Amino acid sequence: MANLQFDLVSPERRLASVEASEVRIPGADGDMTAMADHAPTITTLRPGVLTVVHKGGSDEYVVSGGFAEITAASVSVLAEQALPKAEMTQEVYDQMVADAKAAHGRAQETFKNEPGPVDDAAKLLSDMVAIGGHIGLTANN
């Protein structure tokens, strides 16, 4: 089976650069799997778990958003925030949820009669809370 080059970077660091057989991406319009010879695509990410399958097994990363560029031979992910799933602690998760709640509050204050930005912030918060269910953590209210 053909492989593709996978790279994951966040503002803090490069998290991965590996030859992968598939990359499962939490896209804003739905989950997708990229494999070799995928049609060229650029997608935004929603908060979720990104999974990379390679010959050594698979790695999971929690991402809060960003972009993925997919070509026939590579997947490059530029994440707003990303951590290996193993590094995701309750404290880090709580901070991510708190940041999403604050963004929702700011949107409600700023856009009083414009539901679009408020709805987007509410979806971000909902997705952030949902990550906890996938990784075994619970949002503290």
Side-chain angles (χ1 to χ4, degrees):
M1 176 185 285
N3 289 324
L4 47 82
Q5 177 61 37
F6 170 73
D7 293 292
L8 171 61
V9 295
S10 72
E12 297 84 26
R13 62 183 169 159
R14 173 179 292 251
L15 287 112
S17 182
V18 65
E19 192 173 304
S21 58
E22 69 181 69
V23 181
R24 294 190 292 268
I25 301 167
D29 293 326
D31 292 348
M32 62 188 306
T33 300
M35 300 173 80
D37 298 323
H38 194 284
T41 305
I42 295 177
T43 186
T44 54
L45 304 178
R46 68 166 179 14
V49 178
L50 183 144
T51 304
V52 182
V53 179
H54 50 82
K55 67 180 177 181
S58 65
D59 299 321
E60 295 181 315
Y61 301 90
V62 176
V63 296
S64 65
F67 297 90
E69 178 182 17
I70 304 165
T71 68
S74 68
V75 174
S76 296
V77 176
L78 305 172
E80 291 173 6
Q81 185 177 9
L83 284 172
K85 183 180 167 189
E87 291 181 20
M88 181 59 72
T89 64
Q90 185 68 50
E91 180 181 11
V92 171
Y93 175 67
D94 288 342
Q95 185 60 53
M96 291 174 78
V97 172
D99 291 346
K101 282 182 182 179
H104 183 245
R106 285 190 304 275
Q108 287 176 315
E109 286 287 317
T110 305
F111 303 100
K112 297 220 181 273
N113 293 317
E114 299 177 51
V118 175
D119 292 346
D120 291 345
K123 172 119 176 53
L124 174 70
L125 176 57
S126 175
D127 287 342
M128 203 51 88
V129 170
I131 287 175
H134 294 291
I135 62 174
L137 298 175
T138 304
N140 294 329
N141 295 331

